[in-house]
Amino acid sequence: MWRKVSNSLVRAGAVVRRIIGAPDYDTYLAHMRERHPDLTPMSRDRFMAAQLQARFDKPGARCC
């Protein structure tokens, strides 16, 4: 029961982050493992800084 509630809260948090455009580090890590396994993922702090810079420098830019 608590596991279902916890999983639902995690999913709800991910949906809210997508809606407001906040970067999702866990999704980034999953993407890096799946599509770029030969590269070392950025740290959480570096990821957040890069996302902010990309958001304001190149709106709408994506890597894949």
Side-chain angles (χ1 to χ4, degrees), residues 44-54:
R44 183 179 294 272
D45 290 340
R46 176 72 183 113
F47 170 76
M48 293 299 180
Q51 289 297 305
L52 286 175
Q53 184 175 2

Side-chain angles (χ1 to χ4, degrees), residues 24-36 40-44 47:
D24 187 345
Y25 186 67
D26 293 332
T27 301
Y28 162 73
L29 289 178
H31 171 81
M32 290 298 288
R33 279 192 299 269
E34 181 181 325
R35 302 226 177 181
H36 310 283
T40 303
M42 293 183 273
S43 68
R44 183 179 294 272
F47 170 76

Side-chain angles (χ1 to χ4, degrees), residues 3-64:
R3 182 175 292 248
K4 282 185 172 184
V5 171
S6 175
N7 288 341
S8 295
L9 290 174
V10 169
R11 286 188 200 152
V15 169
V16 169
R17 281 190 295 275
R18 271 187 243 134
I19 290 171
I20 66 173
D24 187 345
Y25 186 67
D26 293 332
T27 301
Y28 162 73
L29 289 178
H31 171 81
M32 290 298 288
R33 279 192 299 269
E34 181 181 325
R35 302 226 177 181
H36 310 283
D38 53 325
L39 300 176
T40 303
M42 293 183 273
S43 68
R44 183 179 294 272
D45 290 340
R46 176 72 183 113
F47 170 76
M48 293 299 180
Q51 289 297 305
L52 286 175
Q53 184 175 2
R55 184 174 188 166
F56 293 110
D57 289 351
K58 299 178 198 172
R62 300 180 70 174
C63 80
C64 306

